[in-house]
Amino acid sequence: MAESFPAPSQTAFVQQLNFWARDASNESAALLGAFALGLFGHLPDEGSAAPVSLETLASRMGGTVRGTRSVIEPLVGLGFVRLEEGRGYSLPAASSFLRRPDFAARMREALGWWLVSAKLPEAVRTGAPVDWHGESRDLLGWYRKEFLEPRAPAPSATAADYDDRAARNFLRTQALVTSGEVGLLDALVSGLRPLAELAKATGSHPESLRTLLEVLVCMGLVRREAESFGYTELAGRSLDASSLPYFQRAFPATMDYWEAFGHLDEAVTQRKFRLDLRDPETARRIYQRNASRITGIFASHVKLGRKAAELVASMRSLKEARVLDVGTGSGVWGAAFGLADPTVHVTYLDSEHVLEQVKPNIAKLKLDGRARYWAGDCLSVDYGEGQYDLILLPQVIPALPPEALPRLFGQLARALRPRGLLIISGYLLTDRRDGPLDALYFALRRYVSNEGDVLSMPDFRRLLEPVGLTSSRGFDMPIQQVVIASRGEVPWPDGLPSR
């Protein structure tokens, strides 16, 4: 059997679980997509020639600049590609294995299982090969080969790392998703249970379920005693009856992007998006579901939003502040500011179907008396002039077309009152756009659904300064970051690290 992961701390284990649920497939998509695009054949070896610019690389691959950047940035963040500031990209000596024909063939074979792997629930229930476009595919056999059988040694530790991230991370995600779908994660909460009992509880074929359980053993989630299986100690503390529903909420969003990631090369070279969120009906379906999912964890996210409200309150008074929450989603950020001061009034702007889910959230907090609901498209409404003290953009920027941002920021700057603040929450990339990794994976997800981009502070300043918001900083908050911008009329808080 393949080696299991070393025993982590509880915090590290939870982080690993969340990575597998949310970001592991994004990472695999970038690493496999690079081979589908032939990216490494267009990079010079480091020191052998001048690095290649992003524009040149995109041209050589026949891809768009934005798409190429979305794929190569995670490779830089992981250290497999070298970025020389102001010059471009090259392949370091430790990544020479990426040119080997046998390694490329291995990656293409793994990519061939991407879309098939979404049929793992069917394979577990039936115990049979799955049909894929008229071809019988032994998906469970592939899982056994990848996780339960000895593997040939990799050319180097770096090659082994790339192989594991590319070829097995997305399979780990599907193992978790399938365990949730068939009810296995719930069935394991009660403790050690015989295989036959688990098979009956989940409606699964016993031997196929055994394969899935053994994969979960390799992942460190499950322990085995004879013919019985149960959570490991760390998994049992992380996936109890109260926390398991929260954890499983990530699965539907991950699966929304599965087909799109399986055709990442099409998006980069043909601008063909299998999940196109610029299509109104697709966007309505996905955003409505996202708002509903976030509503389920509304209370915990309000606490995080209140940290941002405290930061803003250290810069200027919130008394009688007029707040606009643009693209409110679940309403959580506007609610956090509404709770920060009893005189704050919040306008929640989003589409009508999203606002229908916002209203109960606000009513539960008894904030509806100081709330206004504004149904509209954030790119087409008239924001007016000097209307608001605070304007919130909660994870909105990555959902918007990059070409629309200059006009939007101009409108929002005009809508701010004197001493007004623009507060932007979400991921914030480093100045070199080479991290953090979770932000790069999120940016790739945005690209593959034909949405916007994740920005760095230099990116933000290029948008903010021309519209008069000349003072801006980024602050680390729990989970994500906050960018605050003003005309320079508001003093920055003392003692807080910022970018």
Side-chain angles (χ1 to χ4, degrees):
M1 183 181 295
E3 70 276 8
S4 299
F5 285 93
S9 68
Q10 188 69 43
T11 298
F13 183 79
V14 171
Q15 290 172 341
Q16 184 69 73
L17 275 179
N18 287 329
F19 171 74
W20 284 330
R22 294 174 173 84
D23 289 335
S25 57
N26 304 17
E27 181 176 274
S28 288
L31 299 179
L32 293 174
F35 277 94
L37 291 163
L39 185 149
F40 301 116
H42 300 295
L43 293 178
D45 291 324
E46 186 180 15
S48 68
V52 62
S53 70
L54 176 63
E55 292 74 16
T56 300
L57 180 61
S59 176
R60 290 177 179 177
M61 294 195 315
T64 63
V65 171
R66 168 80 195 288
T68 301
R69 177 163 57 78
S70 297
V71 173
I72 202 168
E73 284 177 344
L75 300 177
V76 173
L78 289 165
F80 296 119
V81 171
R82 182 70 48 81
L83 169 61
E84 189 174 333
E85 195 68 24
R87 298 188 68 198
Y89 302 96
S90 59
L91 203 64
S95 295
S96 61
F97 66 90
L98 294 170
R99 300 196 191 282
R100 290 178 49 154
D102 58 338
F103 194 87
R106 156 74 174 153
M107 293 297 101
R108 287 193 292 271
E109 182 183 27
L111 182 57
W113 288 94
W114 183 285
L115 297 173
V116 182
S117 70
K119 304 193 82 170
L120 184 59
E122 174 190 328
V124 169
R125 289 187 176 109
T126 66
V130 299
D131 177 77
W132 186 251
H133 299 299
E135 179 186 357
S136 179
R137 303 290 296 272
D138 185 7
L139 181 55
L140 291 168
W142 183 254
Y143 264 86
R144 285 190 289 270
K145 175 179 179 293
E146 288 299 306
F147 292 96
L148 308 180
E149 297 174 3
R151 297 194 294 269
S156 66
T158 305
D161 182 41
Y162 194 108
D163 183 276
D164 186 72
R165 292 174 184 273
R168 283 180 283 278
N169 262 346
F170 76 95
L171 296 177
R172 293 181 179 106
T173 298
Q174 278 294 351
L176 282 178
V177 170
T178 296
S179 298
E181 184 171 325
V182 303
L184 179 60
L185 295 179
D186 290 294
L188 292 170
V189 168
S190 59
L192 205 66
R193 299 177 68 176
L195 174 63
E197 184 180 312
L198 288 170
K200 183 176 181 180
T202 60
S204 301
H205 186 278
E207 288 308 307
S208 61
L209 185 64
R210 183 196 300 275
T211 296
L212 178 60
L213 284 162
E214 294 288 7
V215 170
L216 297 179
V217 170
C218 289
M219 292 170 63
L221 272 75
V222 168
R223 61 189 175 93
R224 175 181 178 176
E225 293 186 12
E227 287 296 290
S228 294
F229 296 84
Y231 282 134
T232 62
E233 181 181 355
L234 287 175
R237 292 204 298 264
S238 305
L239 301 175
D240 59 22
S242 61
S243 61
L244 188 57
Y246 176 88
F247 173 67
Q248 293 187 98
R249 284 192 178 97
F251 296 163
T254 296
M255 292 308 300
D256 281 340
Y257 292 84
W258 204 263
E259 183 182 5
F261 274 138
H263 297 280
L264 176 59
D265 57 326
E266 289 182 355
V268 174
T269 59
Q270 304 173 38
R271 289 189 55 80
K272 183 177 180 181
F273 299 96
R274 299 297 180 115
L275 177 68
D276 190 345
L277 291 181
R278 295 199 192 186
D279 172 69
E281 180 55 32
T282 303
R284 184 202 63 77
R285 173 174 55 85
I286 296 297
Y287 289 138
Q288 187 171 6
R289 181 157 53 194
N290 284 349
S292 176
R293 180 177 60 85
I294 295 172
T295 292
I297 53 177
F298 189 83
S300 62
H301 278 228
V302 167
K303 293 178 182 178
L304 298 176
R306 294 193 73 168
K307 294 291 185 183
E310 291 171 8
L311 173 60
V312 171
S314 72
M315 298 173 61
R316 54 152 293 160
S317 171
L318 297 182
K319 183 176 176 59
E320 297 183 352
R322 309 293 289 190
V323 179
L324 173 62
D325 188 357
V326 178
T328 184
S330 66
V332 64
W333 277 81
F337 279 80
L339 291 168
D341 189 284
T343 63
V344 167
H345 186 281
V346 182
T347 296
Y348 301 86
L349 170 62
D350 215 312
S351 57
E352 185 65 52
H353 57 270
V354 170
L355 290 179
E356 288 306 311
Q357 299 189 63
V358 173
K359 292 174 183 178
N361 296 336
I362 304 307
K364 286 178 183 177
L365 295 174
K366 302 187 186 311
L367 294 172
D368 43 340
R370 294 184 280 122
R372 174 195 171 211
Y373 302 102
W374 185 5
D377 180 349
C378 69
L379 294 180
S380 60
V381 300
D382 182 1
Y383 292 96
E385 184 173 357
Q387 299 291 313
Y388 304 101
D389 299 290
L390 307 172
I391 298 179
L392 313 178
L393 289 170
Q395 197 59 275
V396 173
I397 297 303
L400 301 178
E403 63 271 16
L405 296 183
R407 179 175 180 271
L408 175 64
F409 279 122
Q411 290 180 308
L412 297 178
R414 181 171 172 265
L416 282 172
R417 292 174 172 174
R419 294 180 55 80
L421 296 176
L422 180 64
I423 300 105
I424 308 165
S425 68
Y427 289 106
L428 184 63
L429 293 177
T430 61
D431 290 0
R432 280 169 45 90
R433 294 185 61 94
D434 58 356
L437 282 171
D438 58 345
L440 295 174
Y441 300 145
F442 185 77
L444 182 63
R445 184 178 283 197
R446 300 277 68 77
Y447 174 73
V448 82
S449 55
N450 196 20
E451 288 189 287
D453 201 0
V454 179
L455 305 181
S456 65
M457 276 310 303
D459 294 328
F460 273 115
R461 289 180 176 126
R462 281 191 288 269
L463 290 164
L464 295 167
E465 291 174 2
V467 300
L469 299 177
T470 56
S471 182
S472 61
R473 290 188 185 182
F475 297 88
D476 288 325
M477 294 277 108
I479 298 181
Q480 294 181 351
Q481 291 80 39
V482 167
V483 173
I484 299 180
S486 75
R487 298 185 183 91
E489 309 151 309
V490 183
W492 294 111
D494 295 328
L496 285 179
S498 62
R499 302 189 206 177

